[in-house]
Amino acid sequence: MNFPHAEPALTHTLLGPDTAWRRILQARDHDWQHTPLLETTEDGCVLRIERGGTWHAMPAASTAARELFDLFLPLVAGTGVRTIGQLGQSLDGRIATETGHSHYINDPEALTHLHRLRAVVDAVLIGVGTANADNPLLTVRHVDGPQPRRVILDPNGRIRPDLSLLHDGTAPVLLIQSPASSHVAQACAHHVERIVLPLEGRGFSPTGILDTLAARGLHRILVEGGGDTLSRFVQAGRLDRLHLLVAPLLIGSGRPGLCLPPIDTLDSALRPVSRSYACGRDTIFDLQLR
Ligand SMILES: NC(=O)c1ccc[n+]([C@@H]2O[C@H](COP(=O)([O-])OP(=O)(O)OC[C@H]3O[C@@H](n4cnc5c(N)ncnc54)[C@H](OP(=O)(O)O)[C@@H]3O)[C@@H](O)[C@H]2O)c1
């Protein structure tokens, strides 16, 4: 018996999000200054990433992979992005309740996004308000990736000595304090280094903080919050990129996110280049500030 000849189905392997994430981590450690192209082949998919973050996948990348490339390659592919901010906020611009409760404003997908941000930077930086309110570990746990240094701004020595990150040893901690602030309790493990910076006006200058970290080889910094710490970087013009994760939630009161000095007319408002992405029920606004 003769069977009709069947054409073999054309099977295209799409480049998926797991491969995309591995390539983003590879791009993070690539020497873009000397080698402006990163080309890889895996499972029949060819991926070309150029310095600056332009990318091309053959035969194609899945939607999830495309979004990962678009969100993360501008941060790692030799674009000169140095400081990245993130804030998870409600529709009415709050990052916590009046009592400091912020777990959780966003969907679990946003937490995965935050851990990806931590994995692509050299250091994660927070203010002492967030450290004391949240007792965060600031480690990468929801995705594969390296652990960043953990930096806390504590000009007045009011950090709680029982905070987990002062004792867990998962990654080094840099505690930036002013000359007048007291040492943190000696009970802290050897992974905690105290750095003394002079205060300038209202606090440490963001430029002084970034220079201090750069002197330790830490060039790409995630300013993870809270609103006060992040606002000071924006006001000083030292935040390159901001990922605002907006949840469909109205709190109606509480801790504000970004707070800048008042302006008289909207001509003076910041109008960054912006792209948006769905993240669970939340929306990521990727804002290019510089
Ligand atoms: N939803 C989110 O994405 C998110 C993210 C992070 C935090 N949070 C929430 O936000 C709240 C805390 O935010 P917050 O705005 O109140 O506080 P914060 O930004 O965490 O900490 C502010 C404090 O850090 C120190 N600081 C920050 N920048 C400084 C600088 N340039 N120079 C000197 N000192 C500096 C100051 O300490 P002194 O007061 O000692 O001068 C300042 O008062 C918490 O409730 C937390 O749960 C939410």
Side-chain angles (χ1 to χ4, degrees):
M1 187 190 276
N2 286 328
F3 290 100
H5 176 71
E7 285 287 333
L10 268 181
T11 49
H12 285 317
T13 318
L14 287 183
L15 190 149
D18 292 342
T19 306
W21 179 241
R22 281 200 301 279
R23 295 296 162 242
I24 288 164
L25 290 179
Q26 197 177 348
R28 169 199 196 279
D29 297 326
H30 185 74
D31 179 0
W32 291 105
Q33 197 184 345
H34 297 104
T35 318
L37 180 69
L38 175 61
E39 186 168 312
T40 52
T41 305
E42 185 177 331
D43 296 337
C45 285
V46 179
L47 174 68
R48 290 168 64 94
I49 304 173
E50 292 170 26
R51 178 167 58 206
T54 307
W55 62 272
H56 184 64
M58 288 168 290
S62 69
T63 304
R66 281 204 307 271
E67 292 189 350
L68 282 177
F69 285 143
D70 290 344
L71 272 164
F72 287 93
L73 287 180
L75 308 182
V76 298
T79 48
V81 169
R82 196 171 156 202
T83 43
I84 305 143
Q86 85 81 40
L87 274 182
Q89 67 173 46
S90 60
L91 279 175
D92 52 346
R94 310 291 176 161
I95 62 166
T97 65
E98 207 59 55
T99 60
H101 188 239
S102 66
H103 288 172
Y104 287 98
I105 288 179
N106 298 101
D107 270 356
E109 290 86 342
L111 197 57
T112 303
H113 181 75
L114 173 60
H115 284 227
R116 288 193 199 282
L117 284 173
R118 289 178 182 171
V120 297
V121 295
D122 301 321
V124 177
L125 179 149
I126 58 170
V128 65
T130 296
N132 285 349
D134 295 354
N135 191 12
L137 292 177
L138 304 180
T139 53
V140 176
R141 303 184 300 281
H142 292 274
V143 295
D144 288 333
Q147 298 296 345
R149 302 288 174 91
R150 304 174 286 180
V151 183
I152 302 168
L153 303 180
D154 179 28
N156 299 302
R158 64 184 184 90
I159 191 166
R160 278 173 35 201
D162 61 326
L163 292 185
S164 302
L165 54 59
L166 296 177
H167 304 280
D168 67 358
T170 315
V173 172
L174 303 177
L175 186 61
I176 301 186
Q177 296 188 319
S178 71
S181 65
S182 59
H183 280 261
V184 78
Q186 285 308 311
C188 289
H190 61 277
H191 70 282
V192 182
E193 181 190 354
R194 179 175 182 257
I195 297 173
V196 175
L197 262 193
L199 295 174
E200 296 176 29
R202 272 185 70 224
F204 308 123
S205 86
T207 299
I209 296 166
L210 294 176
D211 289 349
T212 301
L213 297 178
R216 284 168 169 72
L218 306 172
H219 300 284
R220 200 176 295 132
I221 312 296
L222 172 64
V223 183
E224 195 174 304
D228 179 29
T229 302
L230 195 111
S231 299
R232 297 192 205 207
F233 274 84
V234 175
Q235 192 181 340
R238 295 311 310 258
L239 202 73
D240 297 322
R241 208 95 181 190
L242 175 60
H243 285 188
L244 267 188
L245 289 94
V246 181
L249 172 74
L250 295 166
I251 304 179
S253 59
R255 307 279 172 93
L258 197 59
C259 273
L260 297 174
I263 52 173
D264 291 331
T265 67
L266 291 177
D267 304 336
S268 311
L270 300 174
R271 291 186 194 272
V273 174
S274 155
R275 292 186 71 175
S276 59
Y277 302 82
C279 182
R281 284 170 302 175
D282 304 336
T283 304
I284 301 174
F285 288 90
D286 176 13
L287 308 177
Q288 204 174 320
L289 293 177
R290 299 213 299 170

